[in-house]
Amino acid sequence: MPYTPPKELKKFLRPYPTAVRELALQLRQIVLEELGPCHENIYDAYNAVAVGYGPTDRMKDGICHVAVYGRHVNLGFNHGTALPDPRGILLGTGKRIRHITIQSPADLARPEIRAFLRAARKHAGPLPQTSKSQVISVVKAVYSVRRRPR
């Protein structure tokens, strides 16, 4: 089922190269197929457009996030250190968050993407009991100063 991106998200992605915009929106589709129904919290932040996904609109309840940069997109897992990763695919050195870098459409086809999303969803516990197609999208923050690709 296609999930139409909100107009604000498309506007925030406009400064990025077409290939990066497409990766971000395709990754968004995969995330929503695995996590929907859920809340989608959009941040037009300083050095990236970030979109968080979880059972509520609170950041602390987030399951994963998509961060859009000038040359790639990251799929981050808010409790990535708790996810099984015997092959060491998840990147990062922090106390909780781990991510996968997406640089091409071929990266989106990796089965690990959906496997980690399913594991993260299971780790998070129950999500809202609403229609499978329901995604509640909210722009949470727009930073006045940004560093974006030109």
Side-chain angles (χ1 to χ4, degrees):
M1 161 183 293
Y3 291 92
T4 304
K7 65 181 182 214
E8 296 90 354
L9 178 58
K10 291 194 286 188
K11 176 184 170 191
F12 297 155
L13 293 175
R14 215 173 281 141
Y16 292 88
T18 302
V20 172
R21 282 195 315 259
E22 290 174 1
L23 283 176
L25 294 175
Q26 290 168 4
L27 180 56
R28 175 186 181 268
Q29 178 68 29
I30 291 169
V31 169
L32 292 175
E33 287 171 1
E34 295 298 333
L35 297 185
C38 64
H39 286 259
E40 176 179 61
N41 301 309
I42 303 167
Y43 300 85
D44 187 18
Y46 172 71
N47 66 342
V49 169
V51 187
Y53 299 92
T56 73
D57 67 345
R58 297 183 305 182
M59 188 183 291
K60 74 176 196 157
D61 294 336
I63 295 172
C64 70
H65 57 275
V66 172
V68 185
Y69 298 100
R71 295 187 179 124
H72 68 278
V73 178
N74 281 351
L75 172 59
F77 297 94
N78 296 22
H79 298 279
T81 56
L83 300 177
D85 184 19
R87 293 177 45 211
I89 293 169
L90 296 175
L91 304 173
T93 59
K95 290 183 180 182
R96 289 186 349 183
I97 296 174
R98 294 290 182 269
H99 71 275
I100 298 173
T101 298
I102 311 292
Q103 295 180 328
S104 72
D107 292 338
L108 292 172
R110 293 173 58 191
E112 298 91 357
I113 301 282
R114 288 185 186 268
F116 280 119
L117 284 166
R118 289 180 190 128
R121 180 184 178 144
K122 185 176 180 181
H123 181 267
L127 290 174
Q129 298 298 313
T130 60
S131 163
K132 182 74 173 162
S133 64
Q134 186 175 9
V135 175
I136 302 165
S137 300
V138 177
V139 174
K140 297 293 272 187
V142 176
Y143 291 62
S144 59
V145 177
R146 293 180 202 87
R147 196 178 96 204
R148 291 280 192 277
R150 296 194 191 276

